[in-house]
Amino acid sequence: MIHIESLAALRAVVRDAVASRQAVRFVPTMGALHDGHAALIRAARADGGLVLVSVFVNPTQFGPNEDFARYPRTPGADAALATKAGADALWAPLVEDVYPAGPSARLSAGALGAVWEGAFRPGHFDGVATVVAKLLVASGADVLYLGEKDYQQTVVVRRLIRDLLLTTEVRVVPTVREPDGLALSSRNRYLSADDRRAAAAISRGLRACAKLAADGERRADALLVHLQDVIGGEPRVTVQYAGIADPDTLEPVTLLNAPARALVAAYVGATRLIDNILLVPPTP
Ligand code: PAF
């Protein structure tokens, strides 16, 4: 696997790929790679072409009181995991490469970035939109691989690509989970042993909600009460928001007449985790 830092080196690798008619398959990450990232890289590998992984802890998507400084940075382990999963190149740019003039020009994620996660993390999706646009322009990615765990991010990025008239195709890869259902996340490593055990309540609640929906409950408020009841059975977990959203517009759904997304953010001890699940009502 090739290690790339500078933009010039990145451009040379991409130029070679284009010259040899290989598609650029791009997996953007913030490092602290785990099996969820490996699934993205493996999906890209299976699709063929140049598999390019970026590792960049993007400062502009963290709020002032968030964990930017202590976000886990594990370059050696990241390189080993990316190599094993089939990456061809690992691009780890410096902050000054991505923001050469400082964090000035900034994209807005608009209304899609202001709801759910965005309501509790103001500016977060503007930072994501800004950095993803920069990474796509720099890499010339043909296909972008994103994890379903960050569902709202997938919606924001799809819209961004459309708005900017980019031609990058988006592939969303299913969430990878621990045996007890906990969605893999770089932030899981913050959990104490007790918090780790308690954190499984989030996916338990989501699964219970999806089952109730599949069994025919269409009222979003009833589905959400059930979700909260299951999660609330675990005292270490505090739900910050739980909602049911239209999968494309992210608008709240009151009656489940079509598939929708249940979205949750919760604190487990001091660690904030997010997760989601697809709700599919029975066909009438
Ligand atoms: O999902 C992430 O890890 C980040 O939000 C991303 C897409 C790499 C942008 O910094």
Side-chain angles (χ1 to χ4, degrees):
M1 187 181 66
I2 311 167
H3 290 255
I4 306 169
E5 188 181 283
S6 72
L7 280 172
L10 173 72
R11 287 181 182 129
V13 168
V14 169
R15 217 174 19 245
D16 287 351
V18 172
S20 56
R21 295 175 177 278
Q22 294 190 78
V24 177
R25 306 205 176 265
F26 181 46
V27 182
T29 80
M30 297 206 301
L33 302 186
H34 48 65
D35 266 0
H37 297 110
L40 297 174
I41 299 169
R42 282 196 299 266
R45 176 73 287 146
D47 288 345
L50 174 81
V51 178
L52 171 68
V53 176
S54 68
V55 171
F56 180 64
V57 185
N58 172 38
T60 68
Q61 70 188 75
F62 289 80
N65 299 316
E66 293 184 356
D67 54 347
F68 173 68
R70 76 177 187 116
Y71 196 83
R73 287 155 172 92
T74 57
D78 290 348
L81 184 144
T83 306
K84 190 158 172 243
D88 295 308
L90 185 78
W91 174 37
L94 299 174
V95 174
E96 14 336 347
D97 291 327
V98 178
Y99 296 99
S104 48
R106 191 169 165 88
L107 294 175
S108 164
L112 288 177
V115 293
W116 307 115
E117 267 306 270
F120 291 92
R121 303 186 67 191
H124 167 69
F125 287 112
D126 297 346
V128 169
T130 303
V131 81
V132 169
K134 284 167 174 271
L135 298 176
L136 290 181
V137 168
S139 65
D142 295 297
V143 188
L144 174 67
Y145 294 79
L146 295 173
E148 191 179 22
K149 192 192 77 84
D150 296 308
Y151 185 77
Q152 187 171 359
Q153 173 169 274
T154 67
V155 176
V156 165
V157 170
R158 279 188 199 279
R159 175 69 68 84
L160 171 82
I161 287 173
R162 216 174 128 197
D163 278 355
L164 295 184
L165 312 181
L166 298 173
T167 54
T168 312
E169 184 190 317
V170 177
R171 272 201 60 192
V172 176
V173 175
T175 303
V176 178
R177 296 180 181 279
E178 299 283 5
D180 65 0
L182 177 66
L184 296 199
S185 162
S186 302
R187 290 187 169 98
N188 289 353
R189 67 190 70 199
Y190 299 152
L191 297 168
S192 68
D194 284 343
D195 289 344
R196 166 63 194 84
R197 184 193 43 72
I202 300 171
S203 61
R204 247 193 338 269
L206 284 166
R207 279 200 311 264
C209 180
K211 177 166 186 321
L212 194 61
D215 288 347
E217 177 57 80
R218 291 177 190 267
R219 293 167 302 157
D221 51 2
L223 290 165
L224 288 172
V225 166
H226 190 54
L227 171 67
Q228 299 260 17
D229 279 353
V230 174
I231 300 182
E234 178 46 72
R236 302 181 83 86
V237 182
T238 308
V239 173
Q240 188 178 47
Y241 68 79
I244 299 179
D246 177 279
D248 302 317
T249 66
L250 297 180
E251 278 167 19
V253 164
T254 49
L255 209 55
L256 213 66
N257 291 321
R261 271 288 149 175
L263 305 163
V264 172
Y267 278 95
V268 187
T271 305
R272 187 177 181 280
L273 299 177
I274 60 170
D275 200 355
N276 68 84
I277 202 164
L278 176 68
L279 306 182
V280 185
T283 37

